């Protein structure tokens, strides 16, 4: 695949492709870290401060089942 892209003129060299791939991985890593620090950490903090607000596994399954049923009914 790499050689094909260079041959097709999409990239000047194989190292250019590798560099672009590594940059994309770094961007993804930064995005995941940001998500973990903001969304996941905040959700954990809320759950830790009010454990009674959490759903049991049975409640979660029931909500997911109801949601799936609504989606199936809409199609």
């Amino acid at each position: 695949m790499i050689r094909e892209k260079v041959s097709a003129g999409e990239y000047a060299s194989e190292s250019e492709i590798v560099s672009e791939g590594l940059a994309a991985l770094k961007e993804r890593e930064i995005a995941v870290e940001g998500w973990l620090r903001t969304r996941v950490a905040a959700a954990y903090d809320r759950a830790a401060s009010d454990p009674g607000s959490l759903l049991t596994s049975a409640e979660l399954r029931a909500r997911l089942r109801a949601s799936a049923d609504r989606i199936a009914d809409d199609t």
Side-chain angles (χ1 to χ4, degrees):
M1 180 177 168
I2 291 175
R3 288 189 182 113
E4 291 170 7
K5 291 201 172 281
V6 173
S7 295
E10 295 178 48
Y11 292 89
S13 67
E14 293 175 3
S15 64
E16 183 182 354
I17 294 171
V18 172
S19 294
E20 189 172 305
L22 290 172
L25 285 173
K26 183 65 175 175
E27 286 179 29
R28 183 172 186 263
E29 182 179 290
I30 290 168
V32 168
E33 283 291 322
W35 174 75
L36 286 170
R37 287 197 174 120
T38 57
R39 304 286 304 268
V40 175
Y44 175 82
D45 290 343
R46 282 192 309 275
S49 68
D50 185 13
S53 68
L54 300 174
L55 298 174
T56 66
S57 59
E59 291 168 329
L60 178 59
R61 279 193 300 275
R63 285 188 183 192
L64 290 172
R65 191 174 303 114
S67 179
D69 290 345
R70 281 192 304 276
I71 291 168
D73 290 343
D74 290 342
T75 58

